[in-house]
Amino acid sequence: MRLATAEIDINALRHNLAIVKQMAPSSKVMAVLKANAYGHGLVKIAQCLQGADAFAVARIDEALALRAGGLTKPIILLEGFFDSSDLPILLANNFETVVHDENQLAAIEACQLEAPISVWLKIDTGMHRLGIEPEQFEEFYTRLKQSPNVKADTKLMTHFPCADDLNNHFTALQIASFTKLVKGQSDALCLANSAGIIGWPDAHFDWVRSGLMLYGVSPMLDCVGVDHALKPVMRLKTRVIAIKHVVSGDRIGYGGRWTCKEDTTLAVVAMGYGDGYPRHAREGTPVVIKGERYGIVGSISMDMITVDIGSNDKSIHVGDEVEMWGPSLPVEEIAICADTIPYELLCNITPRVSYDYQADG
Ligand SMILES: *Cc1c(COP(=O)(O)O)cnc(C)c1O
């Protein structure tokens, strides 16, 4: 009997890519696959995204894993490279690099490569994480164009910290300052992450970088119950492994944190923080069994969770399937219950969880 399993719906993945293209019809799409494709399985997900124009990852190892898996599309390293000895690897594998600081630019200028590499110049328009200052743009741009190690197809990019909040004017300011800065250059521009794609059509330009929305999850604030036409790709499921009757006053689980107010029935579910389920999910966080929602009670253990199934104990049996998140239960909602964001929940899936890829047609 299979317990903790992440069922991956490939048709939903392709549907979400189609939604990205529908929302940003004039843009090329970079499918963001970092962190094991947000916990969905790096190579498998990439293999199912033939419709994307490029892939993006955070680390060279992730890019190498894609090549080892037979993927041939351009791959962009979103943080660039970390040592000049990486540069021949970039060239040999057709990896494109972000350049966000002087060290990287100097390393590219100083190296001896048999052929030039493609560069995405990253400008910091207010996130204050990676990227050159706007005042450095002229100099970096000129030096990149002069270096024989850099291909002529330089792209220009920036990143949004607040695009998930439609009421935050900062994104509009970033779009304005970025376009003003790069005015007059004919290079391709790339600004929008998923929130930029969904919420800020003015940010689409030549390339979009879609991560979370590809996996069918909304990046927007106040997203629960809002339909962005996305379909959840992951269904995290497991099974009931015990049914237990408890009486008023019984304390449940580690620390005895939850006390039964009345006689009830618990379903013990084979899922815990050892599978990546958030230990801090609050009391009452829902799971779905046979189409009905039930609330978690007591501490979340490494391998098990207790769910109050109340008087429905006759209809629920050992072996019944339990959905922890997925099409019947948005991971966005679980993230709120666990005081985190869906990104973290998806990335935290541990190797103990088995993957089941499903595609029809
Ligand atoms: C992760 C990442 C993205 C994708 O963000 P989503 O919100 O998942 O769409 C885009 N751009 C950069 C630079 C990133 O690091």
Side-chain angles (χ1 to χ4, degrees), residues 116-144:
I117 54 175
S118 290
V119 167
W120 298 67
L121 179 59
K122 183 159 186 175
I123 300 145
D124 179 7
T125 54
M127 177 140 180
H128 301 307
R129 197 177 59 179
L130 294 184
I132 59 167
E133 296 300 313
E135 304 77 63
Q136 297 177 290
F137 173 67
E138 283 294 333
E139 189 208 329
F140 269 69
Y141 188 81
T142 310
R143 284 168 63 187
L144 284 171

Side-chain angles (χ1 to χ4, degrees), residues 49-259:
L49 289 174
Q50 292 91 344
D53 298 287
F55 299 136
V57 294
R59 309 280 157 80
I60 288 187
D61 286 352
E62 296 172 322
L64 288 170
L66 285 171
R67 287 287 179 258
L71 281 308
T72 56
K73 278 187 204 302
I75 301 176
I76 292 104
L77 302 171
L78 290 172
E79 299 168 5
F81 60 97
F82 303 98
D83 193 282
S84 53
S85 64
D86 294 333
L87 285 166
I89 302 173
L90 268 53
L91 180 62
N93 291 282
N94 189 26
F95 297 161
E96 306 188 4
T97 184
V98 163
V99 165
H100 62 77
D101 76 354
E102 169 64 30
N103 290 337
Q104 290 173 325
L105 178 56
I108 289 175
E109 288 174 325
C111 72
Q112 294 197 323
L113 292 176
E114 282 166 20
I117 54 175
S118 290
V119 167
W120 298 67
L121 179 59
K122 183 159 186 175
I123 300 145
D124 179 7
T125 54
M127 177 140 180
H128 301 307
R129 197 177 59 179
L130 294 184
I132 59 167
E133 296 300 313
E135 304 77 63
Q136 297 177 290
F137 173 67
E138 283 294 333
E139 189 208 329
F140 269 69
Y141 188 81
T142 310
R143 284 168 63 187
L144 284 171
K145 292 287 170 187
Q146 282 169 354
S147 171
N149 292 323
V150 177
K151 263 194 207 165
D153 64 351
T154 305
K155 284 104 175 165
L156 307 174
M157 66 185 280
T158 193
H159 196 41
F160 297 140
C162 308
D164 57 340
D165 182 358
L166 293 177
N167 296 317
N168 192 328
H169 192 54
F170 194 64
T171 305
L173 293 177
Q174 284 185 284
I175 298 169
S177 65
F178 184 82
T179 44
K180 187 167 168 230
L181 186 70
V182 304
K183 209 168 81 191
Q185 322 294 2
S186 58
D187 310 81
L189 308 181
C190 178
L191 290 77
N193 52 2
S194 294
I197 295 166
I198 292 172
W200 306 86
D202 288 353
H204 290 172
F205 294 100
D206 305 285
W207 281 86
V208 294
R209 306 188 297 274
S210 60
L212 193 69
M213 69 181 292
L214 276 181
Y215 309 100
V217 180
S218 171
M220 307 309 281
L221 286 184
D222 310 320
C223 55
V224 171
V226 180
D227 182 12
H228 300 297
L230 301 172
K231 292 186 181 166
V233 174
M234 183 189 292
R235 181 162 174 267
L236 182 65
K237 61 174 194 179
T238 185
R239 290 185 189 275
V240 174
I241 57 169
I243 302 281
K244 191 141 194 97
H245 301 284
V246 289
V247 297
S248 173
D250 282 352
R251 289 161 166 261
I252 310 304
Y254 284 117
R257 276 199 351 212
W258 188 75
T259 307

Side-chain angles (χ1 to χ4, degrees), residues 14 21 30 37 85-86 115-117 138 145 163 172 191 228 248 289 297 314 321 326 337 348 352 358:
R14 296 207 175 102
K21 293 185 174 199
M30 189 191 294
S85 64
D86 294 333
I117 54 175
E138 283 294 333
K145 292 287 170 187
L191 290 77
H228 300 297
S248 173
I289 309 173
V297 293
K314 296 287 181 297
E321 203 170 272
C337 292
N348 276 355
R352 184 166 82 182
Q358 305 194 330

Side-chain angles (χ1 to χ4, degrees), residues 288-292 294 315-317 320-321:
V288 170
I289 309 173
K290 290 187 164 164
E292 298 283 338
Y294 300 95
S315 62
I316 294 177
H317 304 99
D320 283 350
E321 203 170 272

